[in-house]
Amino acid sequence: MDSDIRLYFDEGVQVAVAEQMRNRCIDAVTVRDLEVLGDADINHLQRASEMGRVVCTFDYDFLRLHAEGIPHAGIIIAQHFDTTVGDWVRGLELICGAMTADEMKNHIEYL
């Protein structure tokens, strides 16, 4: 799949989701890959933004940061912790196929 959206997975999302996205040729990193596990949400959001990556998360604190006007490359949030790896993969494939990185800037998508 050709997509210019690059993904940044926080620690709440299963690593398997990032692996599946990479298998689909979508650029994805995890906080584990970057060795920043446990960092503050604001730091994750700023780091992802600097890297041009959309944050993928279950953490509603990112919605608060968005509401505070902190600029970001995008946030994709699942509403429930029972969202499966398959749910994530299908939703992310749809988003990455339908939107551009520019369209995701300062935008929130819900799975």
Side-chain angles (χ1 to χ4, degrees), residues 60-81:
Y60 283 89
D61 288 338
F62 286 96
L63 299 180
R64 177 184 48 78
L65 295 170
H66 170 78
E68 291 173 4
I70 296 170
H72 55 83
I75 298 169
I76 299 171
I77 189 164
Q79 299 181 41
H80 303 286
F81 278 103

Side-chain angles (χ1 to χ4, degrees), residues 1-9 21-22 24-28 54 56 76 88-101 103-104 109 111:
M1 166 182 282
D2 286 330
S3 176
D4 68 342
I5 294 177
R6 300 167 62 215
L7 304 173
Y8 180 107
F9 291 90
M21 299 318 294
R22 289 183 199 125
R24 288 158 173 77
C25 298
I26 295 173
D27 189 335
V54 174
C56 299
I76 299 171
W88 271 105
V89 171
R90 283 185 295 277
L92 291 172
E93 280 185 313
L94 181 63
I95 292 166
C96 290
M99 298 187 73
T100 66
E103 291 170 327
M104 281 300 301
E109 281 292 321
L111 291 186

Side-chain angles (χ1 to χ4, degrees), residues 2 24 32-33 41 49 51 64 75 77 81 102 106:
D2 286 330
R24 288 158 173 77
R32 289 165 187 84
D33 297 333
D41 293 338
S49 184
M51 297 173 73
R64 177 184 48 78
I75 298 169
I77 189 164
F81 278 103
D102 281 340
N106 299 308

Side-chain angles (χ1 to χ4, degrees), residues 31-46:
V31 296
R32 289 165 187 84
D33 297 333
L34 300 173
E35 298 180 354
V36 291
L37 196 63
D39 205 354
D41 293 338
I42 183 68
N43 295 340
H44 286 305
L45 190 63
Q46 289 173 337

